[in-house]
Amino acid sequence: MSHDPNCIFCKIVAGQIPSRKAYEDDDVLAFHDINPWAPVHLLIIPKRHIASMADVTQADGPLLGKMAALGPRLMKELGVTGGFRHVINTGPDGGQEVYHLHLHVMGGPRPWLKG
């Protein structure tokens, strides 16, 4: 499994940095974002280091599908019923800050929005 010793998410996968885990299996890890943009804000990451979506290959399709399908399941388990967002930032112009592929899944009521 590919690992970047300088990557914060690789360190989280390795257990060197603690996280509030929501899900883990052999391929992916989901954990709560430490700077949430919504009441429920998870990051779903592959355990294998992939720097960004720009580095994804066709062989990564099953992994990406697994990540995308995990989001709705976790939102339901965490009580999010009114909808949620999936976001993947890619590269500097796409707003990517950590260069380890990660899927943001954000949901829950947002009291700052007017109904």
Side-chain angles (χ1 to χ4, degrees):
M1 183 173 295
S2 178
H3 175 84
D4 178 345
N6 299 312
C7 172
I8 190 168
F9 287 172
C10 285
K11 290 178 182 180
I12 290 172
V13 168
Q16 298 168 339
I17 295 176
S19 67
R20 198 169 122 220
K21 295 178 185 177
Y23 177 85
E24 182 175 19
D25 67 19
D26 291 340
D27 303 313
V28 300
L29 174 64
F31 56 94
H32 293 265
D33 195 302
I34 61 169
N35 294 309
W37 289 11
V40 179
H41 184 165
L42 300 177
L43 298 176
I44 302 175
I45 66 171
K47 287 189 167 182
R48 177 171 52 91
H49 184 82
I50 302 171
S52 77
M53 282 296 289
D55 299 302
V56 167
T57 68
Q58 184 128 8
D60 296 314
L63 176 63
L64 293 176
K66 183 178 199 174
M67 291 169 62
L70 183 57
R73 175 181 148 194
L74 294 176
M75 289 291 111
K76 184 176 182 180
E77 288 176 7
L78 293 169
V80 175
T81 59
F84 51 89
R85 295 176 66 195
H86 281 91
V87 177
I88 299 176
N89 300 318
T90 304
D93 290 340
Q96 187 174 3
E97 295 176 1
V98 176
Y99 282 83
H100 184 120
L101 177 64
H102 55 287
L103 170 62
H104 295 263
V105 187
M106 298 169 276
R110 295 177 290 163
W112 59 89
L113 295 178
K114 294 185 180 189

